[in-house]
Amino acid sequence: MQQHWLTNLPIHGVMKTEPLLRGVANDVYKITATSGVYVLKHFRFDHPYGLDRDQEVTVQQILFNHGLAPEVLHYDPVQGLMLQAFIETPDLAHDKKSMGTKIQRLGEICAHIHRLPVDVPVWSLRCRVQRYCDNLAQYEPERARQFQKLLQQQRKLLDSFGNNPVFCHNDLAFHHVFLSQPPQVIDWEYSGLGERYFDLANCIQVNQLEHGEQRAFINAYEGASGERIDMQHLANWLELSQTISRLWYELHHHLQHHHL
């Protein structure tokens, strides 16, 4: 962590700073101070991923008011810094509950997110993946063309994205969900109005849920949301989600390599 980042933060008596995560879109640090324990996120690679950090901060503040996310205590768009309180309870990835219980809670929280009245734009999945391909083409033009061809086969799904928009997290991994009271969810950079099935597929994909676990997750989601999920339609979205995930990780590999 660069020490000058601490200068303008609304915290007092910093005793310890430690890295929590060198992530894909963020570097994350834990700060222990006399005034409390905090998490500082340093944003990385906004442009290649099409991320809108101002919107992310606005969304997180809205969700704080809904009791679902930590409050944004400080935001510096120039240095790319966001400060929030450290959540003391374990996340779902590290919780000692059974996998069945974790999946049940994940489905319920996903359903809760989809019901939230968050007024943000519908983002274009087609534009998002085109941005990924364009940026990957700077490093591997042929690989980018291969992804373009794969995505063209899914053009009907891409074009249908946002037809019936709900608010989505789009990266609801176990380690983003904390079973505090009430539950807290972090890392909203990919959130926005979008496609329910894409969010469900991403949740299955990012958590690597096996077939039986997928069914349990959807059962929990259906029970909490009152929505009936078409499993074949979900399978089509899961295939698209897996393709986009591979594209995203290949782009990230190159971005990491060229920004060490």
Side-chain angles (χ1 to χ4, degrees):
M1 174 190 287
Q2 298 182 38
Q3 289 304 305
H4 70 270
W5 290 350
L6 300 174
T7 305
N8 296 318
L9 298 182
I11 59 180
H12 307 288
V14 173
M15 295 180 288
K16 184 179 181 182
T17 64
E18 53 191 304
L20 285 182
L21 174 71
R22 183 168 176 80
V24 176
N26 311 294
D27 288 336
V28 184
Y29 303 90
K30 180 180 178 182
I31 302 175
T32 304
T34 54
S35 55
V37 184
Y38 307 90
V39 167
L40 182 69
K41 292 174 66 173
H42 178 229
F43 302 140
R44 309 175 69 221
F45 305 138
D46 296 354
H47 178 70
Y49 296 135
L51 303 180
D52 182 339
R53 297 301 191 167
D54 291 343
Q55 179 175 303
E56 176 188 347
V57 170
T58 299
V59 164
Q60 185 162 327
Q61 284 296 80
I62 292 170
L63 297 172
F64 166 72
N65 292 330
H66 283 284
L68 190 63
E71 182 179 10
V72 176
L73 302 172
H74 178 79
Y75 172 48
D76 182 341
V78 175
Q79 296 191 91
L81 300 173
M82 184 174 77
L83 184 76
Q84 62 194 39
F86 180 79
I87 303 172
E88 297 289 349
T89 54
D91 59 44
L92 271 181
H94 296 93
D95 193 89
K96 291 186 169 63
K97 294 181 176 62
S98 70
M99 179 59 81
T101 300
K102 293 179 182 183
I103 289 171
Q104 178 73 26
R105 297 297 287 130
L106 194 70
E108 293 168 351
I109 289 169
C110 189
H112 177 56
I113 291 169
H114 289 176
R115 288 194 299 268
L116 291 173
V118 182
D119 185 16
V120 288
V122 178
W123 56 263
S124 167
L125 183 60
R126 178 177 287 283
C127 290
R128 186 68 60 98
V129 297
Q130 185 62 54
R131 182 187 291 264
Y132 295 172
C133 287
D134 290 345
N135 281 282
L136 180 61
Q138 297 177 29
Y139 307 106
E140 285 194 77
E142 180 55 35
R143 190 68 179 132
R145 280 191 290 271
Q146 291 170 6
F147 275 112
Q148 291 270 33
K149 190 176 294 185
L150 281 172
L151 291 165
Q152 184 63 18
Q153 295 169 11
Q154 299 275 16
R155 62 187 180 278
K156 287 186 179 179
L157 284 186
L158 287 168
D159 288 342
S160 72
F161 186 90
N163 284 354
N164 299 288
V166 298
F167 181 65
C168 299
H169 186 283
N170 290 318
D171 189 24
L172 196 62
F174 282 136
H175 61 271
H176 289 156
V177 179
F178 293 78
L179 293 183
S180 51
Q181 290 298 329
Q184 300 277 286
V185 180
I186 63 169
D187 286 9
W188 294 93
E189 57 258 39
Y190 292 98
S191 68
L193 290 183
E195 171 57 54
R196 181 191 313 274
Y197 278 84
F198 183 63
D199 200 13
L200 292 171
N202 282 340
C203 195
I204 288 168
Q205 195 277 133
V206 74
N207 291 300
Q208 295 294 290
L209 300 184
E210 298 175 356
H211 182 73
E213 295 170 337
Q214 293 179 25
R215 185 67 259 186
F217 168 65
I218 295 303
N219 286 345
Y221 178 85
E222 289 179 329
S225 68
E227 297 286 335
R228 191 85 178 124
I229 299 302
D230 181 329
M231 294 303 290
Q232 182 54 57
H233 192 48
L234 179 60
N236 294 335
W237 277 102
L238 185 56
E239 183 180 346
L240 176 58
S241 172
Q242 290 166 341
T243 299
I244 293 172
S245 178
R246 290 198 304 273
L247 167 61
W248 185 86
Y249 273 109
E250 289 195 27
L251 171 60
H252 174 63
H253 169 77
H254 289 287
L255 289 171
Q256 287 280 67
H257 180 73
H258 287 85
H259 291 81
L260 290 176

